[in-house]
Amino acid sequence: MTAGNNGADTPENDDPFAYLYRSEGGEGGAQGSAGDGAAARQPGVPRTSYNQVRAVGQRQYGQQAPQQVTYGQQNAHYAAPETLPGGDRTRPAPANGGQEPRRGRNGLLIGAVSVVAVVCIGIGVAMLTNGKDSQDANAGKPGPTAGDKVDPSDAPTSKPAPGKLPKQDAGSLRLEGGATTAKDVPGARSPGGAYVAGMNTQGAAATWSLDVEAAGKYKLWVGYGVPGKDANLTLNVNGAADGRPINMKNFAHAPEGAWDKGWTRTWSYVQLNKGTNTIKLSCESGNQCDVNLDKVWLARP
């Protein structure tokens, strides 16, 4: 601008910032004067829209300003498209024109629990199916025979139940030294009422031969009868005499002389070997041998 033209060629009435406060509907200034050809702004009436503010030098004079969108009048049904693998999908905006509600934590938690449950169910089904298939595959296979070599993995995991321990009627024992069988005294617990008598003679003996599956300590039970008084015999196991005689007291509390009332039983520990063993009951010096024998048997301690 020069002194010659005094700014006559300058647009906007020599005010380059007039658009910042121009009234709506005209090119007038902020005061709305009649000389500007614009409608005057009514006092007390707020302005309803504003032109977009631009930095100095960016406005192109003589061009129409871009259309402004009044706040609160946006399209409530607008939804931005989302590009996803496999195609475009559009998520609609809320129908009430508000903001889209945020997804709660409950929904995410329920989804995660559902995924874990499905995985666990699948694993369980797979395990059951594999176990059944393994059983079906082994169903037709024959078991190992006596001549087969058993793999350690095929060996039984538990020990077999121990077999029954031996027992014997005294009448079937090997008798010697004057011992004999009799049936005179009633009440003996062996079949037919037979028992071993004649044990009151020194050297008389009844020997029992028996087999056991494992070496160890066992209880030797002896059924006997006394005439209302105590007795005892020497115990010999596999050729070795026990230093303490087996006790045969009058546990039945029978009156003296009542052989039929004195039937009872006693026991003593014995150490046996695996396989065959011998147990001998004998009348030796120092024993009280007035006793009849009806049964012998083993038990575990």
Side-chain angles (χ1 to χ4, degrees):
M1 179 172 61
T2 65
N5 55 23
N6 197 25
D9 296 334
T10 303
E12 300 292 331
N13 296 328
D14 200 23
D15 187 357
F17 301 100
Y19 66 90
L20 295 176
Y21 42 84
R22 182 187 300 112
S23 300
E24 184 177 0
E27 294 292 329
Q31 302 299 323
S33 63
D36 294 336
R41 176 180 171 185
Q42 297 296 326
V45 179
R47 299 174 65 176
T48 58
S49 64
Y50 294 86
N51 291 330
Q52 181 178 3
V53 178
R54 296 176 180 270
V56 177
Q58 290 185 352
R59 179 176 177 85
Q60 299 296 326
Y61 297 100
Q63 295 183 0
Q64 183 178 2
Q67 183 178 1
Q68 300 297 317
V69 180
T70 303
Y71 179 77
Q73 296 181 356
Q74 291 90 344
N75 188 354
H77 300 285
Y78 172 78
E82 297 178 357
T83 303
L84 299 175
D88 295 341
R89 294 190 300 178
T90 302
R91 182 173 58 189
N96 57 3
Q99 295 183 354
E100 181 179 357
R102 296 175 59 185
R103 295 184 179 178
R105 295 183 179 178
N106 292 339
L108 297 177
L109 180 59
I110 293 174
V113 171
S114 301
V115 172
V116 174
V118 170
V119 172
C120 293
I121 293 173
I123 293 174
V125 171
M127 293 176 63
L128 292 176
T129 303
N130 292 338
K132 185 177 183 303
D133 293 342
S134 178
Q135 292 179 359
D136 294 342
N138 295 329
K141 294 183 179 180
T145 60
D148 294 339
K149 181 179 179 181
V150 179
D151 190 85
S153 61
D154 297 333
T157 56
S158 59
K159 295 181 179 180
K164 292 182 179 181
L165 295 176
K167 58 184 177 180
Q168 192 76 33
D169 296 327
S172 60
L173 302 180
R174 191 179 77 236
L175 305 178
E176 56 185 332
T180 184
T181 58
K183 294 183 180 181
D184 300 336
V185 178
R189 286 159 293 189
S190 59
Y195 57 89
V196 175
M199 293 296 297
N200 57 349
T201 303
Q202 188 172 346
T207 302
W208 182 26
S209 295
L210 68 154
D211 293 333
V212 293
E213 296 178 351
K217 182 183 288 186
Y218 295 86
K219 276 186 176 182
L220 171 67
W221 284 91
V222 179
Y224 66 96
V226 292
K229 59 181 181 180
D230 297 338
N232 58 61
L233 294 174
T234 297
L235 176 62
N236 187 298
V237 179
N238 293 325
D242 193 334
R244 184 178 60 179
I246 185 169
N247 188 11
M248 295 179 170
K249 287 186 176 181
N250 182 23
F251 294 121
H253 304 288
E256 187 173 354
W259 285 88
D260 58 330
K261 304 296 183 181
W263 292 107
T264 185
R265 60 183 180 175
T266 189
W267 65 271
S268 179
Y269 281 121
V270 292
Q271 185 69 33
L272 301 179
N273 302 323
K274 180 180 179 180
T276 303
N277 297 266
T278 58
I279 297 176
K280 183 172 75 171
L281 299 173
S282 62
C283 180
E284 305 294 342
S285 176
N287 293 137
Q288 299 173 357
C289 305
D290 284 340
V291 61
N292 294 331
L293 307 177
D294 63 351
K295 292 182 77 69
V296 288
W297 68 94
L298 285 184
R300 293 181 175 84

